[in-house]
Amino acid sequence: MSRPELVAPPEIYYGDTEAKKYTQNTRNQQIQADMTYRALELLSLPPGSPAFLLDIGCGSGLSGEILDEEGYTWVGVDIAPSMLEVALEREVEGDLFLQDIGQGLGFRPGSFDGAISISVLQWLLNAETSHPTSSPPHRLQRFFTTLHSALRNPSRAVFQFYPSSDDQIQLITSIAQKAGFGGGIVVDYPNSKKAKKVFLCLFVGGGGQQEVPKGLEGEEDDGRAMFERRRERERSRGKNGKRKSLKDKDWILKKKELYRKRGKEDIPRDSKYTGRKRKPVF
């Protein structure tokens, strides 16, 4: 996979202190986790199969931790250096890139099995300068065109975002469709001012057979409890129905190799005892 060109970040972004406070806030962690799990459900990946995902606006890696737990390999892009720095300090699994997505993505065609994005898409509606190429339609066009190219066929991309008007939703969806995407808007809890969430669920390929998922109804707590029970069942069991170990030998070897690539010292050498459970001492 080719490395995207690094671009200069905007003048206003999270400082180091703000980035750490945001990441350490337990409410932010819970909200991010809930929306990431919902995005993964809308992504509708084959259960039990590996996937290579793109986290758009990955920030400090809160969503990436969920992707790790679910067994996915991922790459994250974000415009804020301070957030990426916190992600590096937290030793997230994914590879990280500093990039303004409004300038387009630089990945090879067909690189990813899917993409998610939490609370980011609305920022592309801000014009950085008065130059025509910095207008929201131009930024959206560059982003969606290059994202469509970077996704495999068939696949999906799911965005949770905060539109301020129906006109913004129409602008975003129309430009995504012009870039080649199918799909549409999914609204969870549409009758709740507090719990309402808007998702853009986009399809690549599929021959027009894919249907836009339905939004959640009822109370947010009911939906959250349902997700928690389902996640716990799926996470605790492997393909053969048996309870799986979250930190088996393959997981440990992968983690150690990641640390070596990042230059971390004092990594224990691999051996036949790596990942072996110790017998209890009585």
Side-chain angles (χ1 to χ4, degrees), residues 81-252:
S82 57
M83 296 295 275
L84 294 177
E85 190 65 34
V86 174
L88 288 173
E89 291 176 0
R90 298 173 68 235
E91 298 181 337
V92 299
E93 294 271 2
D95 291 327
L96 306 173
F97 296 97
L98 175 66
Q99 186 168 15
D100 176 4
I101 62 173
Q103 298 299 322
L105 303 171
F107 298 104
R108 293 177 180 173
S111 293
F112 299 100
D113 299 304
I116 65 166
S117 179
I118 307 299
S119 308
V120 171
L121 192 57
Q122 68 273 4
W123 298 113
L124 285 178
L125 298 170
N126 296 337
E128 293 189 340
T129 69
S130 59
H131 194 278
T133 59
S134 293
S135 66
H138 279 85
R139 290 171 61 75
L140 287 165
Q141 181 183 20
R142 286 192 294 265
F143 169 63
F144 282 125
T145 300
T146 54
L147 175 63
H148 187 277
S149 173
L151 292 170
R152 291 174 183 161
N153 184 351
S155 63
R156 292 187 181 187
V158 176
F159 302 81
Q160 181 277 324
F161 70 113
Y162 295 102
S164 61
S165 67
D166 290 340
D167 288 340
Q168 288 190 350
I169 293 178
Q170 178 59 34
L171 176 64
I172 290 172
T173 54
S174 64
I175 293 177
Q177 290 169 357
K178 289 179 181 178
F181 284 105
I185 294 293
V186 178
V187 181
D188 286 351
Y189 313 112
N191 299 319
S192 172
K193 292 183 178 179
K194 182 179 180 181
K196 180 179 178 180
K197 293 291 185 297
V198 178
F199 294 84
L200 176 63
C201 188
L202 298 178
F203 308 147
V204 175
Q209 301 299 315
Q210 301 190 70
E211 295 184 1
V212 178
K214 294 182 179 180
L216 301 177
E217 302 284 349
E219 298 296 328
E220 182 183 23
D221 288 341
D222 294 339
R224 181 176 297 169
M226 178 183 67
F227 294 148
E228 290 291 344
R229 289 194 297 269
R230 183 161 57 208
R231 288 202 303 264
E232 187 59 32
R233 287 197 304 270
E234 293 176 351
R235 191 182 306 160
S236 62
R237 299 191 179 277
K239 296 179 182 179
N240 58 2
K242 296 181 180 179
R243 191 171 186 86
K244 64 180 181 180
S245 171
L246 293 179
K247 295 186 178 181
D248 58 12
K249 184 173 182 178
D250 289 341
W251 184 93
I252 294 172

Side-chain angles (χ1 to χ4, degrees), residues 277-281:
K277 294 182 179 180
R278 297 179 182 271
K279 293 182 179 181
V281 179

